[in-house]
């Protein structure tokens, strides 16, 4: 195992300490329980929080800031945060207008956020929750009942964060979040496995000439394992199931999100974006907005995921609204 670490058990806390110093103008980091909170919280608006296991950076902590999340709860690598973290973060961002929990559909995340919401309600805080489940690859997986929550989570956090910033109430924020989740679909693939620091060895094995199609963001098995193929063929393997699932239709306007799994160079992500754009053009689907880069990763895994979100006018307006976080910034 070759990693830039001191001790495996200290990776998350030391990374959080680094984030706190690097982005002291945007965030504060609280330890024991661990959470990242937007500078100046609580604000006079609906609070928006999310969280999950570490190792997917910049999700979620990199999205804390103006126009996106108010707080994020990082668990151990690939491990759900605990209810104490979520409750503390909920209380920290509660400005009296309620708090929205954005939860990816993994069993531990769902259970612990539910528990935190109940504890917060007992303290008089109104909490609403939305669960993302956009991965079309498999129905049930290692840590999931139902579909996994993946790339749509990033888009949802930006869009709902903008709505909350603009003064939308809790019920409206929840409804927008549910609409984004309902209109988005994702699928990914891996060229290599990744190594959790405390495990010390790769989570699975892939031969030099193999790829895993439909991989999860923790290395969960996908739809199938097959021989490595040209990028254009891989793009078809990912885009086809996404387009057919919603289904997306001729004339739709979409946000096209090509995401790296952590170890894929940007040159390859743009090459894959070109292939996706070709597929969408052939189906008469317009790319109205785009995002390309490493935003929801799996440590050093090499691979890519596609996410398509069918846009409406309100989503476009909220996507374009100003945002200023460690990992996403425009308009200010």
């Amino acid at each position: 195992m070759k990693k830039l670490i001191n001790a495996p058990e200290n990776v998350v806390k030391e990374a959080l300490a680094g984030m706190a110093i690097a982005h002291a103008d945007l965030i504060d980091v609280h330890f024991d329980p661990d959470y990242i909170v937007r500078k100046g919280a609580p604000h006079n608006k609906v609070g928006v929080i999310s969280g999950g296991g570490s190792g997917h950076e910049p999700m979620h902590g990199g999205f804390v800031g103006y126009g996106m999340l108010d707080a994020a709860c990082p668990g151990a690598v690939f491990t759900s945060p605990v209810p104490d973290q979520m409750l503390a973060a909920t209380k920290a961002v509660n400005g009296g207008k309620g708090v929205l929990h954005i939860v990816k559909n993994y069993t531990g995340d769902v259970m612990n956020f539910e528990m935190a919401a109940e504890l917060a309600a007992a303290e008089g805080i109104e909490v609403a929750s939305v669960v993302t489940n956009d991965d079309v690859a498999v129905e049930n997986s290692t840590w999931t009942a139902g579909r996994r929550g993946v790339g749509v989570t990033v888009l949802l956090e930006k869009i709902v964060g903008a709505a909350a910033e603009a003064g939308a109430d809790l019920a409206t924020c929840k409804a927008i979040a549910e609409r984004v989740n309902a209109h988005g679909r994702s699928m990914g693939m891996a060229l290599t496995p990744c190594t959790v620091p405390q495990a010390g060895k790769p989570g699975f094995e892939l031969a030099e000439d193999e790829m895993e199609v439909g991989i999860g963001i923790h290395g969960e098995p996908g739809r199938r394992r097959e021989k490595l193929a040209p990028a254009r063929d891989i793009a078809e393997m990912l885009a086809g199931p996404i387009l057919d699932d919603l289904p997306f239709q001729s004339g739709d306007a979409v946000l096209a999100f090509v995401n790296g799994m952590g170890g894929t160079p940007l040159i390859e992500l743009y090459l894959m974006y070109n292939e996706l754009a070709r597929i969408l053009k052939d189906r008469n689907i317009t790319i109205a907005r785009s995002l390309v880069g490493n935003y929801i990763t799996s440590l050093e895994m090499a691979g890519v995921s596609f996410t398509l979100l069918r846009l409406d006018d309100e989503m476009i307006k909220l996507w374009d609204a100003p945002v200023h976080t460690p990992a996403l910034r425009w308009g200010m």
Side-chain angles (χ1 to χ4, degrees):
M1 180 174 73
K2 287 185 177 179
K3 289 185 180 287
L4 296 171
I5 63 174
N6 294 309
E9 63 271 17
N10 296 333
V11 167
V12 174
K13 285 193 183 296
E14 291 178 359
L16 289 173
M19 277 193 75
I21 299 165
H23 304 292
D25 57 328
L26 299 176
I27 61 172
D28 290 314
V29 176
H30 187 281
F31 292 98
D32 300 317
D34 299 348
Y35 62 89
I36 301 160
V37 65
R38 179 177 161 187
K39 207 81 176 175
H43 298 268
N44 185 29
K45 58 185 265 313
V46 170
V48 183
I49 80 169
S50 191
S54 296
H56 305 302
E57 290 73 19
M59 193 183 75
H60 294 275
F63 302 135
V64 174
Y66 181 91
M68 209 159 175
L69 294 177
D70 292 287
C73 305
V77 174
F78 293 179
T79 304
S80 173
V82 298
D84 285 355
Q85 292 172 261
M86 299 160 179
L87 177 61
T90 299
K91 291 163 74 171
V93 306
N94 177 38
K97 297 192 174 182
V99 178
L100 180 68
H101 289 177
I102 298 172
V103 187
K104 300 187 305 303
N105 188 35
Y106 298 96
T107 304
D109 290 14
V110 172
M111 180 177 67
N112 289 344
F113 265 107
E114 282 179 357
M115 202 175 301
E118 291 172 3
L119 293 169
E123 297 193 29
I125 302 172
E126 186 181 5
V127 175
S129 300
V130 63
V131 176
T132 62
N133 56 354
D134 52 299
D135 190 347
V136 304
V138 294
E139 188 61 35
N140 296 294
S141 190
T142 314
W143 290 292
T144 312
R147 290 182 167 184
R148 304 175 292 215
V150 286
V152 156
T153 313
V154 176
L155 312 183
L156 188 154
E157 288 174 357
K158 167 63 185 83
I159 290 169
V160 174
E165 205 69 60
D169 63 20
L170 184 59
T172 301
C173 288
K174 177 179 169 69
I176 291 169
E178 289 175 338
R179 192 165 87 244
V180 172
N181 183 62
H183 289 183
R185 298 290 188 273
S186 302
M187 188 165 163
M189 60 78 62
L191 299 172
T192 67
C194 62
T195 299
V196 173
Q198 287 192 281
K201 61 181 181 179
F204 60 96
E205 293 183 2
L206 272 178
E208 285 295 312
D209 62 347
E210 285 183 328
M211 60 181 179
E212 182 83 21
V213 179
I215 194 80
I217 57 171
H218 311 93
E220 307 98 309
R223 284 190 173 190
R224 63 188 182 275
R225 184 169 295 190
E226 60 182 74
K227 297 296 182 182
L228 189 60
R232 70 179 66 88
D233 297 341
I234 295 172
E236 294 280 0
M237 293 177 198
L238 301 181
I242 290 170
L243 289 164
D244 294 343
D245 192 88
L246 194 60
F248 292 85
Q249 297 172 337
S250 174
D252 281 346
V254 300
L255 192 164
F257 175 23
V258 173
N259 174 69
M261 303 298 277
T264 303
L266 203 50
I267 189 171
E268 295 178 23
L269 297 183
Y270 279 116
L271 188 154
M272 290 298 288
Y273 183 88
N274 183 55
E275 295 297 340
L276 176 59
R278 173 186 55 80
I279 293 166
L280 295 178
K281 184 178 180 181
D282 287 346
R283 295 213 188 191
N284 193 35
I285 293 171
T286 301
I287 299 177
R289 297 293 184 272
S290 60
L291 185 66
V292 181
N294 291 285
Y295 292 102
I296 171 171
T297 62
S298 188
L299 294 169
E300 79 278 23
M301 182 185 287
V304 67
S305 64
F306 288 173
T307 298
L308 294 178
L309 173 63
R310 179 190 286 155
L311 293 169
D312 56 40
D313 290 344
E314 184 180 33
M315 287 186 204
I316 292 173
K317 179 182 176 182
L318 293 171
W319 179 259
D320 289 345
V323 61
H324 190 186
T325 72
L328 212 60
R329 181 182 184 180
W330 57 72
M332 60 188 302

